[in-house]
mmCIF file of all heavy atoms in Angstrom:
data_model
loop_
_atom_site.group_PDB
_atom_site.id
_atom_site.type_symbol
_atom_site.label_atom_id
_atom_site.label_comp_id
_atom_site.label_asym_id
_atom_site.label_seq_id
_atom_site.Cartn_x
_atom_site.Cartn_y
_atom_site.Cartn_z
ATOM 1 N N ILE A 738 33.602 98.891 109.415
ATOM 2 C CA ILE A 738 32.145 99.076 109.424
ATOM 3 C C ILE A 738 31.437 97.751 109.120
ATOM 4 O O ILE A 738 30.448 97.417 109.752
ATOM 5 C CB ILE A 738 31.733 100.168 108.414
ATOM 6 C CG1 ILE A 738 32.140 101.544 108.939
ATOM 7 C CG2 ILE A 738 30.233 100.129 108.167
ATOM 8 C CD1 ILE A 738 31.874 102.680 107.971
ATOM 9 N N VAL A 739 31.983 96.987 108.186
ATOM 10 C CA VAL A 739 31.367 95.690 107.840
ATOM 11 C C VAL A 739 31.428 94.764 109.050
ATOM 12 O O VAL A 739 30.450 94.056 109.366
ATOM 13 C CB VAL A 739 32.073 95.062 106.630
ATOM 14 C CG1 VAL A 739 31.593 93.624 106.402
ATOM 15 C CG2 VAL A 739 31.846 95.915 105.370
ATOM 16 N N GLU A 740 32.571 94.729 109.742
ATOM 17 C CA GLU A 740 32.693 93.850 110.918
ATOM 18 C C GLU A 740 31.708 94.287 112.002
ATOM 19 O O GLU A 740 31.080 93.449 112.652
ATOM 20 C CB GLU A 740 34.108 93.885 111.434
ATOM 21 C CG GLU A 740 35.101 93.201 110.520
ATOM 22 C CD GLU A 740 36.557 93.462 110.907
ATOM 23 O OE1 GLU A 740 36.825 94.483 111.584
ATOM 24 O OE2 GLU A 740 37.419 92.640 110.561
ATOM 25 N N ALA A 741 31.624 95.588 112.262
ATOM 26 C CA ALA A 741 30.729 96.073 113.288
ATOM 27 C C ALA A 741 29.273 95.797 112.930
ATOM 28 O O ALA A 741 28.461 95.410 113.774
ATOM 29 C CB ALA A 741 30.923 97.580 113.507
ATOM 30 N N PHE A 742 28.929 95.977 111.643
ATOM 31 C CA PHE A 742 27.574 95.701 111.227
ATOM 32 C C PHE A 742 27.251 94.231 111.401
ATOM 33 O O PHE A 742 26.153 93.858 111.876
ATOM 34 C CB PHE A 742 27.417 96.079 109.750
ATOM 35 C CG PHE A 742 26.009 95.939 109.282
ATOM 36 C CD1 PHE A 742 25.074 96.968 109.411
ATOM 37 C CD2 PHE A 742 25.565 94.761 108.665
ATOM 38 C CE1 PHE A 742 23.768 96.794 108.968
ATOM 39 C CE2 PHE A 742 24.273 94.585 108.234
ATOM 40 C CZ PHE A 742 23.369 95.610 108.372
ATOM 41 N N GLY A 743 28.195 93.347 111.048
ATOM 42 C CA GLY A 743 27.980 91.926 111.220
ATOM 43 C C GLY A 743 27.800 91.535 112.672
ATOM 44 O O GLY A 743 26.925 90.720 112.996
ATOM 45 N N ARG A 744 28.607 92.109 113.544
ATOM 46 C CA ARG A 744 28.499 91.800 114.952
ATOM 47 C C ARG A 744 27.116 92.179 115.474
ATOM 48 O O ARG A 744 26.536 91.464 116.315
ATOM 49 C CB ARG A 744 29.573 92.573 115.729
ATOM 50 C CG ARG A 744 29.526 92.413 117.225
ATOM 51 C CD ARG A 744 30.800 92.936 117.874
ATOM 52 N NE ARG A 744 31.187 94.259 117.352
ATOM 53 C CZ ARG A 744 30.686 95.420 117.770
ATOM 54 N NH1 ARG A 744 29.695 95.400 118.671
ATOM 55 N NH2 ARG A 744 31.066 96.547 117.293
ATOM 56 N N PHE A 745 26.557 93.252 114.971
ATOM 57 C CA PHE A 745 25.222 93.694 115.405
ATOM 58 C C PHE A 745 24.119 92.905 114.726
ATOM 59 O O PHE A 745 23.185 92.381 115.375
ATOM 60 C CB PHE A 745 25.065 95.186 115.099
ATOM 61 C CG PHE A 745 23.739 95.734 115.503
ATOM 62 C CD1 PHE A 745 23.500 96.168 116.800
ATOM 63 C CD2 PHE A 745 22.707 95.835 114.590
ATOM 64 C CE1 PHE A 745 22.263 96.691 117.160
ATOM 65 C CE2 PHE A 745 21.443 96.355 114.925
ATOM 66 C CZ PHE A 745 21.247 96.764 116.223
ATOM 67 N N ALA A 746 24.196 92.743 113.407
ATOM 68 C CA ALA A 746 23.080 92.195 112.643
ATOM 69 C C ALA A 746 22.928 90.706 112.791
ATOM 70 O O ALA A 746 21.826 90.172 112.607
ATOM 71 C CB ALA A 746 23.223 92.570 111.173
ATOM 72 N N LEU A 747 24.014 90.005 113.103
ATOM 73 C CA LEU A 747 23.938 88.549 113.172
ATOM 74 C C LEU A 747 23.559 88.021 114.561
ATOM 75 O O LEU A 747 23.498 86.819 114.787
ATOM 76 C CB LEU A 747 25.267 87.917 112.753
ATOM 77 C CG LEU A 747 25.725 88.201 111.304
ATOM 78 C CD1 LEU A 747 26.945 87.369 110.967
ATOM 79 C CD2 LEU A 747 24.603 87.948 110.323
ATOM 80 N N GLU A 748 23.285 88.924 115.476
ATOM 81 C CA GLU A 748 22.875 88.538 116.814
ATOM 82 C C GLU A 748 21.367 88.273 116.820
ATOM 83 O O GLU A 748 20.570 89.205 116.602
ATOM 84 C CB GLU A 748 23.222 89.614 117.818
ATOM 85 C CG GLU A 748 22.886 89.258 119.250
ATOM 86 C CD GLU A 748 23.772 88.128 119.778
ATOM 87 O OE1 GLU A 748 24.910 87.987 119.298
ATOM 88 O OE2 GLU A 748 23.327 87.406 120.655
ATOM 89 N N PRO A 749 20.887 87.056 117.064
ATOM 90 C CA PRO A 749 19.445 86.796 117.100
ATOM 91 C C PRO A 749 18.789 87.648 118.182
ATOM 92 O O PRO A 749 19.366 87.834 119.288
ATOM 93 C CB PRO A 749 19.379 85.301 117.429
ATOM 94 C CG PRO A 749 20.655 84.727 116.973
ATOM 95 C CD PRO A 749 21.683 85.813 117.245
ATOM 96 N N ARG A 750 17.611 88.156 117.874
ATOM 97 C CA ARG A 750 16.897 89.035 118.812
ATOM 98 C C ARG A 750 15.446 88.602 118.961
ATOM 99 O O ARG A 750 14.924 87.831 118.160
ATOM 100 C CB ARG A 750 16.937 90.493 118.290
ATOM 101 C CG ARG A 750 18.298 91.140 118.379
ATOM 102 C CD ARG A 750 18.242 92.581 117.795
ATOM 103 N NE ARG A 750 19.486 93.271 118.082
ATOM 104 C CZ ARG A 750 20.618 93.092 117.394
ATOM 105 N NH1 ARG A 750 20.619 92.223 116.393
ATOM 106 N NH2 ARG A 750 21.689 93.755 117.684
ATOM 107 N N GLY A 751 14.831 89.128 119.989
ATOM 108 C CA GLY A 751 13.401 88.943 120.160
ATOM 109 C C GLY A 751 13.040 87.483 120.331
ATOM 110 O O GLY A 751 13.741 86.706 120.957
ATOM 111 N N LEU A 752 11.911 87.134 119.699
ATOM 112 C CA LEU A 752 11.376 85.786 119.843
ATOM 113 C C LEU A 752 12.263 84.743 119.176
ATOM 114 O O LEU A 752 12.233 83.552 119.537
ATOM 115 C CB LEU A 752 9.975 85.730 119.253
ATOM 116 C CG LEU A 752 8.890 86.485 120.030
ATOM 117 C CD1 LEU A 752 7.565 86.467 119.285
ATOM 118 C CD2 LEU A 752 8.730 85.934 121.430
ATOM 119 N N LEU A 753 13.055 85.155 118.188
ATOM 120 C CA LEU A 753 13.988 84.210 117.564
ATOM 121 C C LEU A 753 15.027 83.733 118.583
ATOM 122 O O LEU A 753 15.479 82.574 118.508
ATOM 123 C CB LEU A 753 14.680 84.858 116.345
ATOM 124 C CG LEU A 753 15.619 83.942 115.561
ATOM 125 C CD1 LEU A 753 14.861 82.755 114.969
ATOM 126 C CD2 LEU A 753 16.318 84.726 114.447
ATOM 127 N N ALA A 754 15.403 84.585 119.526
ATOM 128 C CA ALA A 754 16.438 84.240 120.503
ATOM 129 C C ALA A 754 15.821 83.766 121.801
ATOM 130 O O ALA A 754 16.550 83.235 122.668
ATOM 131 C CB ALA A 754 17.319 85.433 120.782
ATOM 132 N N SER A 755 14.521 83.926 121.979
ATOM 133 C CA SER A 755 13.886 83.601 123.237
ATOM 134 C C SER A 755 13.797 82.101 123.476
ATOM 135 O O SER A 755 13.549 81.320 122.539
ATOM 136 C CB SER A 755 12.484 84.218 123.300
ATOM 137 O OG SER A 755 11.795 83.820 124.466
ATOM 138 N N SER A 756 13.964 81.724 124.726
ATOM 139 C CA SER A 756 13.799 80.307 125.100
ATOM 140 C C SER A 756 12.478 80.093 125.852
ATOM 141 O O SER A 756 12.196 79.010 126.375
ATOM 142 C CB SER A 756 14.939 79.835 126.004
ATOM 143 O OG SER A 756 15.035 80.620 127.164
ATOM 144 N N GLY A 757 11.685 81.153 125.899
ATOM 145 C CA GLY A 757 10.425 81.097 126.639
ATOM 146 C C GLY A 757 9.384 80.199 125.956
ATOM 147 O O GLY A 757 9.396 80.005 124.748
ATOM 148 N N GLU A 758 8.489 79.694 126.786
ATOM 149 C CA GLU A 758 7.407 78.838 126.265
ATOM 150 C C GLU A 758 6.504 79.664 125.343
ATOM 151 O O GLU A 758 6.105 80.778 125.681
ATOM 152 C CB GLU A 758 6.595 78.261 127.436
ATOM 153 C CG GLU A 758 5.508 77.314 126.983
ATOM 154 C CD GLU A 758 4.777 76.721 128.203
ATOM 155 O OE1 GLU A 758 5.179 77.002 129.351
ATOM 156 O OE2 GLU A 758 3.761 76.015 127.967
ATOM 157 N N GLY A 759 6.196 79.142 124.238
ATOM 158 C CA GLY A 759 5.324 79.830 123.278
ATOM 159 C C GLY A 759 6.039 80.787 122.363
ATOM 160 O O GLY A 759 5.382 81.435 121.523
ATOM 161 N N ALA A 760 7.361 80.917 122.477
ATOM 162 C CA ALA A 760 8.082 81.867 121.613
ATOM 163 C C ALA A 760 7.965 81.485 120.142
ATOM 164 O O ALA A 760 7.851 82.366 119.295
ATOM 165 C CB ALA A 760 9.543 81.936 122.064
ATOM 166 N N GLY A 761 8.060 80.195 119.862
ATOM 167 C CA GLY A 761 7.966 79.737 118.476
ATOM 168 C C GLY A 761 6.621 80.085 117.880
ATOM 169 O O GLY A 761 6.558 80.567 116.740
ATOM 170 N N GLU A 762 5.534 79.815 118.617
ATOM 171 C CA GLU A 762 4.214 80.139 118.113
ATOM 172 C C GLU A 762 4.008 81.643 117.933
ATOM 173 O O GLU A 762 3.403 82.106 116.954
ATOM 174 C CB GLU A 762 3.154 79.586 119.051
ATOM 175 C CG GLU A 762 3.051 78.061 119.094
ATOM 176 C CD GLU A 762 4.125 77.440 120.021
ATOM 177 O OE1 GLU A 762 4.957 78.224 120.571
ATOM 178 O OE2 GLU A 762 4.095 76.223 120.192
ATOM 179 N N GLY A 763 4.577 82.394 118.874
ATOM 180 C CA GLY A 763 4.481 83.846 118.781
ATOM 181 C C GLY A 763 5.200 84.385 117.554
ATOM 182 O O GLY A 763 4.702 85.267 116.864
#
Side-chain angles (χ1 to χ4, degrees):
I738 288 177
V739 172
E740 290 170 336
F742 184 88
R744 177 167 47 81
F745 179 84
L747 298 188
E748 184 67 29
R750 289 177 171 79
L752 292 175
L753 183 61
S755 174
S756 59
E758 184 178 353
E762 292 82 357

